[in-house]
Amino acid sequence: MRFAKNRLRTAAATATAVALGAAGLAALPATASAATAGLNVQYRTSATGASADQAEPWIKVKNTGDSSVQLSGVKVRYYFKADSASATYRFACSWAVKGCANVTGTFGTLTSPTATADRYLEIGFTSGAGSLAAGADTGDMQLRFYQASWQPLNQSDDYSFGAAQTSYGSWSKITAQLAGTTLWGTAPAGNGPTDPPTDPPTDPPAGGATLFDDFNYSGYSDPRISANGWNVRSNSGGPGVPGATWASENVTFSTTGGNSIMNLETSTAGTAATTEQTEVLTKATKFKNGTYAARVKFSDAPRSGPDGDRLVQTFFTINDLTAPMADNYAEYDFEYLPNGGWGEPANILYTTSWETYNPDPWQAVNQHTESRQSFSGWHDLVLTIDGSSIKYYIDGQLFGTHDAAYLPERPMSINFNQWLIDLAGQTSTTARSYDQQVDYVLHIKDQVLTPAQVATKVNAYRSAGTTFQDTVPSS
């Protein structure tokens, strides 16, 4: 982001969050017998009232197959009816045999809402949860979720809720998937694995004003960068360490795997004077509804020197705040913190949709989804904005759906930056540097593409040898 927001996550950081991504099963040798995969979900509730301050689904997942499974590939969904269209929810883990740090939770919106379900809580596991042997279960997971406003929940119309389920028992109204395949439970009507069909056309719609850049440049001073509408930042100011430099020379370009790559390097030796941050952004604020996509490589470890700095690696869109709490402000973020920060002790990824804020005294109006796990490596990031919602996808999977209240009123710029929240995470005066890499960026004006359609579009540009195109009209 382009402005200081050290207090941005104060409240958000208290909520537990969610992992995504499913680990695939290894193929068996041709001579081996095929393993039988199976899961079972046992459920009880610790909050039995039709109205409650928070829902408390306690869950055990059992491996009923005949071979071990990695828990990082398991996803469990608890379905419920939102208490209002604008309600937002927070997930927390009170206690778990596998450790709450290894249990994640995120919220999603159903494609086909029913009278008893239009949202779901998806429970996942980090790699730290390990594997589950055949016949073993996860043990107790004492989970809960609540409205961000702490208004009471109406559980009586929630699909997965069972008021009489006060001791553990198999519960088919909670589903479990392994590597994307549903192995247990029944989703609300119209939301099963083939409702709607899972094979929509992957060809993107024809037409649509487009920005595509493969970042095929020789260096930060390449005149084509400015000619193509980009600014490599060198001016002072936030966000990040006060007094730090925004070093345009630390934005470099190379070729990896046949693709041109943009690298943003951020470095420090533990003082503001030695801190250099990087940002690349469009000069024009002309992007609003449609699809935004980028392939980004996040890094957990520094390229050199000691680790531990509270770093923020980003892909986002933004316009200016015309006045405190102005209702025409808009911002949509992917932000990865490899070493934590904003009250978080370890790596976490946020997606945040902003309505507005007041810098002093701090007041924020936003909706966010977060996941506490490592996202080190390359990721396909897709953001779609239409007239009804904002959706965030990571590696083809829906990560978060945010409400219509946060839709943009004015066009925005497109930005990538890497910066340090502060210098308290690593106090060493030894020089260190961190890299964030970007493969491409794509925007399709006023069209919502699936992640598969985004991939088709990018492949078509590359097959045609097109490294840059911008047909998006000025706002």
Side-chain angles (χ1 to χ4, degrees):
M1 303 183 59
R2 294 168 56 196
F3 61 87
K5 57 174 192 179
N6 289 359
R7 290 175 288 173
L8 177 147
R9 309 294 182 195
T10 302
T14 63
T16 19
V18 221
L20 33 110
L25 294 175
L28 289 168
T31 56
S33 299
T36 301
L39 295 173
N40 168 273
V41 175
Q42 295 186 345
Y43 158 80
R44 60 160 292 192
T45 180
S46 184
T48 59
S51 177
D53 289 338
Q54 56 187 352
E56 297 186 43
W58 293 13
I59 290 171
K60 294 180 182 179
V61 180
K62 184 176 181 179
N63 178 8
T64 59
D66 55 16
S67 62
S68 177
V69 299
Q70 292 295 318
L71 278 171
S72 59
V74 173
K75 301 295 178 188
V76 176
R77 286 188 177 183
Y78 179 98
Y79 302 90
F80 65 98
K81 182 77 171 179
D83 293 270
S84 70
S86 61
T88 59
Y89 294 87
R90 300 288 182 262
F91 165 78
C93 171
S94 298
W95 186 82
V97 172
K98 290 290 184 179
C100 280
N102 296 317
V103 179
T104 65
T106 190
F107 296 95
T109 302
L110 289 179
T111 304
S112 302
T114 72
T116 59
D118 56 12
R119 308 274 186 98
Y120 60 84
L121 166 65
E122 183 172 271
I123 307 302
F125 301 88
T126 70
S127 58
S131 61
L132 201 60
D137 65 49
T138 58
D140 209 15
M141 293 188 292
Q142 299 179 9
L143 313 177
R144 54 191 173 91
F145 66 92
Y146 52 92
Q147 288 201 68
S149 63
W150 278 107
Q151 293 297 308
L153 301 177
N154 175 21
Q155 298 194 98
S156 63
D157 61 354
D158 290 350
Y159 177 85
S160 295
F161 174 64
Q165 197 73 10
T166 56
S167 59
Y168 277 113
S170 296
W171 197 248
S172 63
K173 288 188 174 183
I174 298 176
T175 60
Q177 293 185 341
L178 178 62
T181 300
T182 300
L183 299 180
W184 172 264
T186 303
N191 295 279
T194 58
D195 298 319
T198 56
D199 54 348
T202 57
D203 289 339
T210 302
L211 168 69
F212 172 74
D213 202 328
D214 210 17
F215 295 114
N216 188 9
Y217 302 108
S218 60
Y220 76 97
S221 60
D222 189 326
R224 294 176 299 157
I225 295 177
S226 181
N228 288 347
W230 295 100
N231 175 35
V232 182
R233 183 177 175 180
S234 59
N235 59 296
S236 61
V241 175
T245 300
W246 292 89
S248 55
E249 67 273 14
N250 289 349
V251 176
T252 58
F253 301 86
S254 62
T255 300
T256 302
N259 292 332
S260 51
I261 301 297
M262 177 172 68
N263 189 79
L264 285 73
E265 176 188 337
T266 292
S267 60
T268 188
T271 65
T274 61
T275 300
E276 297 183 346
Q277 306 174 140
T278 44
E279 181 169 25
V280 176
L281 65 154
T282 61
K283 292 185 285 185
T285 53
K286 62 179 184 177
F287 309 97
K288 192 180 176 187
N289 288 3
T291 300
Y292 300 80
R295 183 164 173 80
V296 177
K297 185 177 184 181
F298 297 128
S299 300
D300 280 354
R303 183 175 63 183
S304 61
D307 196 3
D309 289 289
R310 294 169 181 165
L311 192 70
V312 185
Q313 301 173 336
T314 76
F315 167 45
F316 64 100
T317 69
I318 194 173
N319 58 32
D320 61 315
L321 182 72
T322 57
M325 301 302 289
D327 61 5
N328 62 357
Y329 178 73
E331 179 182 346
Y332 307 95
D333 304 329
F334 289 91
E335 294 175 306
Y336 181 54
L337 283 61
N339 292 317
W342 293 323
E344 291 293 329
N347 40 34
I348 185 168
L349 187 143
Y350 291 102
T351 60
T352 309
S353 301
W354 284 83
E355 172 59 20
T356 190
Y357 73 100
N358 184 2
D360 190 18
W362 180 253
Q363 182 179 359
V365 182
N366 62 45
Q367 185 175 0
H368 76 277
T369 305
E370 69 259 353
S371 175
R372 287 183 177 85
Q373 70 168 67
S374 172
F375 282 87
S376 182
W378 285 104
H379 296 282
D380 294 306
L381 310 179
V382 176
L383 160 69
T384 65
I385 304 174
D386 60 17
S388 61
S389 66
I390 304 106
K391 295 182 185 294
Y392 296 87
Y393 298 84
I394 300 180
D395 298 330
Q397 300 296 312
L398 181 64
F399 182 77
T401 300
H402 295 172
D403 301 330
Y406 304 93
L407 292 170
E409 293 83 13
R410 293 186 296 137
M412 302 167 287
S413 62
I414 297 174
N415 302 246
F416 300 90
N417 65 16
Q418 183 181 219
W419 50 280
L420 294 173
I421 296 172
D422 53 38
L423 296 172
Q426 169 58 266
T427 58
S428 170
T429 56
T430 301
R432 58 267 190 191
S433 63
Y434 299 83
D435 289 337
Q436 174 188 340
Q437 296 183 332
V438 183
D439 186 7
Y440 71 83
V441 67
L442 174 72
H443 171 69
I444 310 293
K445 177 180 170 64
D446 295 332
Q447 290 185 357
V448 172
L449 273 62
T450 66
Q453 290 172 330
V454 166
T456 298
K457 190 83 171 177
V458 172
N459 289 338
Y461 277 120
R462 287 178 163 169
S463 296
T466 302
T467 59
F468 177 80
Q469 182 185 73
D470 185 3
T471 60
V472 178
S474 299
S475 60

